[in-house]
């Protein structure tokens, strides 16, 4: 008769096989878990977060330009040679133009600081402010500027008025041919701006009031800052301010523009609002190009104002031209 013990002894040799089977199964399950965990959503999410973090640490064009301008100021203040100051001024001028074009609400700050840098550069290198102004914005830059019709019209009017004023002063005082060259540059730029949008009416008046010019042919008090300046310098600064205002008004109109699908709102809009709102149809690259060209014109006119006698210090300039 087989006892219970005998049954246990007979069954005992088969247990190792079951243990091996269980080990194989456990190993297989572990392998599956390992493979699955290596492709888990958590790891994928972690990779995305890491990529986003790297992107968030990248500086924007505005930040790059502004930091560059600050570094240029330090370089200028610590320069020990005229060559170093010249390099810092030239670099600062370009960085501030980039600030005007890329930083929201800093068009005036960027363009006016660029003008101060340009003026410093002309004094260091002994160049003519008239020649610098004429070379600042070539005609082909206007053709590819992407300025809207309202922007181009406002700037053209300011340029034509300045050309007339400088011409009147030149005729009255008998100054050098540089003044007449500057006057011609204003008028030529105005013509280029008008040609940019031939479908728009010409805003130029060609002849403007001369009472102030005749009453103050040499010096005049700036109505914005209360500072005394040369009349020619005042004309140039007024032109720069007009450009700042033109770009600021257009920007505000574009931001407040209603949805284009609202037919009734579009029908009730005035012609000036419609043209200024056209800037909202530009893509980002075209907008930056338009702001860059406008900032260069502004800086050129303000730098000429400084060269002609307008007070060239930051507090007065920036307080009178806020965007």
């Amino acid at each position: 008769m087989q006892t219970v013990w005998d049954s246990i002894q007979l069954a005992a040799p088969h247990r190792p096989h079951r243990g091996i089977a269980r080990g194989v199964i456990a190993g297989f399950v572990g392998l599956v878990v390992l493979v699955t965990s290596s492709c888990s959503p958590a790891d994928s999410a972690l990779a995305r977060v890491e990529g986003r973090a790297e992107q968030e640490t990248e500086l924007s064009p505005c930040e790059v330009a502004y930091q560059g301008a600050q570094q240029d100021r330090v370089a200028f203040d610590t320069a020990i040679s005229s060559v170093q100051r010249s390099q810092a001024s030239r670099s600062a001028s370009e960085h501030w133009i980039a600030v005007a074009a890329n930083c929201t609400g800093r068009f005036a700050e960027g363009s006016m600081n660029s003008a101060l840098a340009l003026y410093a550069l002309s004094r260091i290198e002994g160049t003519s402010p008239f020649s610098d102004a004429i070379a600042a914005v070539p005609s082909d830059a206007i053709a590819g500027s992407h300025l809207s019709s309202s922007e181009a019209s406002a700037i053209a009017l300011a340029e034509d008025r300045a050309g007339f004023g400088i011409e009147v002063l030149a005729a009255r005082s008998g100054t050098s041919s540089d003044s007449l060259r500057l006057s011609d540059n204003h008028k030529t730029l105005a013509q280029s701006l008008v040609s940019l949008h031939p479908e728009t009416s010409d805003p130029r008046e060609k002849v403007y009031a001369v009472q102030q010019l005749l009453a103050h042919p040499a010096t005049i008090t700036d109505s914005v800052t209360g500072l005394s300046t040369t009349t020619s310098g005042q004309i140039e600064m007024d032109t720069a301010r007009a450009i700042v205002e033109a770009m600021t008004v257009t920007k505000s109109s574009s931001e407040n523009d209603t949805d284009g699908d609202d037919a009734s709102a579009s029908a009730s809009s005035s012609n000036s609002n419609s043209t200024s709102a056209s800037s909202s149809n530009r893509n980002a690259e075209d907008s930056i190009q338009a702001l860059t060209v406008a900032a260069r014109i502004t800086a050129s006119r303000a730098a000429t104002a400084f060269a002609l006698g307008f007070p060239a210090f930051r507090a007065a300039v920036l307080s009178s031209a806020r965007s």
Side-chain angles (χ1 to χ4, degrees):
M1 171 183 282
Q2 190 177 35
T3 64
V4 174
W5 177 254
D6 293 331
S7 299
I8 294 175
Q9 292 290 334
L10 291 171
H14 300 282
R15 288 185 177 178
H17 297 288
R18 289 203 300 269
I20 292 173
R22 290 174 180 170
V24 171
I25 294 172
F28 178 74
V29 171
L31 180 61
V32 171
V33 171
L34 179 61
V35 173
T36 304
S37 64
S38 66
C39 301
S40 65
D43 285 346
S44 298
L46 180 59
R48 288 195 296 272
V49 169
E50 289 176 349
R52 187 172 65 231
E54 292 174 357
Q55 185 177 11
E56 288 174 351
T57 59
E58 184 178 349
L59 296 178
S60 68
C62 170
E63 291 169 326
V64 170
Y66 193 80
Q67 287 189 11
Q70 299 306 312
Q71 292 168 358
D72 292 330
R73 181 175 298 177
V74 173
F76 183 89
D77 292 340
T78 59
I80 59 176
S81 70
S82 59
V83 173
Q84 291 175 328
R85 288 192 293 272
S86 176
Q87 291 174 341
S89 297
R90 184 177 288 103
S91 178
S93 174
E94 289 303 311
H95 277 135
W96 281 118
I97 290 294
V99 167
N102 290 280
C103 299
T104 302
R106 285 187 163 174
F107 181 84
E109 179 186 1
S111 55
M112 289 299 179
N113 273 310
S114 178
L116 289 168
L118 284 175
Y119 177 56
L121 180 62
S122 67
R123 294 188 66 185
I124 294 169
E125 298 187 344
T127 57
S128 167
F130 300 99
S131 299
D132 292 342
I134 292 171
V137 184
S139 57
D140 57 344
I142 298 297
S145 66
H146 299 287
L147 289 165
S148 70
S149 56
S150 62
E151 292 166 344
S153 294
I155 299 173
L157 177 60
E159 288 290 327
D160 190 62
R161 182 187 293 113
F164 175 81
I166 294 295
E167 184 178 24
V168 169
L169 291 180
R172 182 177 176 82
S173 61
T175 54
S176 67
S177 59
D178 284 337
S179 294
L180 294 177
R181 289 175 59 211
L182 180 60
S183 173
D184 289 342
N185 178 249
H186 278 295
K187 294 180 179 181
T188 300
L189 185 57
Q191 178 59 52
S192 298
L193 289 161
V194 170
S195 300
L196 195 59
H197 296 280
E199 74 284 355
T200 305
S201 59
D202 191 339
R204 295 172 295 177
E205 299 175 14
K206 303 298 179 70
V207 177
Y208 303 86
V210 296
Q211 288 84 350
Q212 282 287 86
L213 297 178
L214 297 179
H216 307 280
T219 61
I220 195 171
T221 300
D222 178 27
S223 61
V224 177
T225 63
L227 298 172
S228 178
T229 178
T230 61
T231 306
S232 56
Q234 182 71 61
I235 290 173
E236 294 299 310
M237 182 54 66
D238 285 344
T239 305
R241 290 169 178 165
I243 300 171
V244 170
E245 182 179 1
M247 301 307 294
T248 304
V249 168
T250 301
K251 179 177 179 295
S252 299
S253 299
S254 300
E255 289 176 345
N256 297 327
D257 191 35
T258 57
D259 191 341
D261 293 335
D262 189 344
S264 60
S266 298
S268 62
S269 297
S270 67
N271 181 60
S272 61
N273 285 337
S274 297
T275 55
S276 62
S278 67
S279 62
S280 64
N281 297 325
R282 296 185 297 227
N283 58 38
E285 183 178 353
D286 290 348
S287 294
I288 291 175
Q289 176 65 14
L291 288 166
T292 298
V293 171
R296 289 195 186 282
I297 302 174
T298 305
S300 169
R301 298 319 185 195
T304 304
F306 301 146
L308 291 173
F310 192 92
F313 58 95
R314 188 170 288 103
V317 173
L318 294 182
S319 64
S320 64
R322 295 294 183 184
S323 60

